[in-house]
Amino acid sequence: MSEFEKGDHVSWKSHGGEAVGKVEKEITTETEAGGRTVKASEDEPQYLVKSDKSGGEAVHKPGALTKD
């Protein structure tokens, strides 16, 4: 089972402090997302998140996200 699911409200550390947003999707293959190449796998997934404040998208490892 995934640590996070689409729609989960999460927070993460950002350049300006703490950012909040929602999980858009789980990434389990190497792909382009959030403006960079994401090296993810089934064993080491990453998550595409969308900021509530800016609407920007970013990709984070599970350890960088906290479910609110």
Side-chain angles (χ1 to χ4, degrees), residues 2 26-31 38-47 61-62:
S2 301
E26 179 182 48
I27 300 171
T28 56
T29 60
E30 185 172 325
T31 188
V38 178
K39 295 189 182 291
S41 67
E42 289 284 339
D43 291 334
E44 294 186 24
Q46 294 193 40
Y47 295 89
K61 293 182 179 180

Side-chain angles (χ1 to χ4, degrees), residues 11-49:
S11 60
W12 62 94
K13 297 226 182 305
S14 179
H15 301 294
E18 185 175 76
V20 295
K22 288 189 179 157
V23 173
E24 294 288 303
K25 70 177 181 177
E26 179 182 48
I27 300 171
T28 56
T29 60
E30 185 172 325
T31 188
E32 294 287 327
R36 66 182 180 88
T37 300
V38 178
K39 295 189 182 291
S41 67
E42 289 284 339
D43 291 334
E44 294 186 24
Q46 294 193 40
Y47 295 89
L48 179 67
V49 294

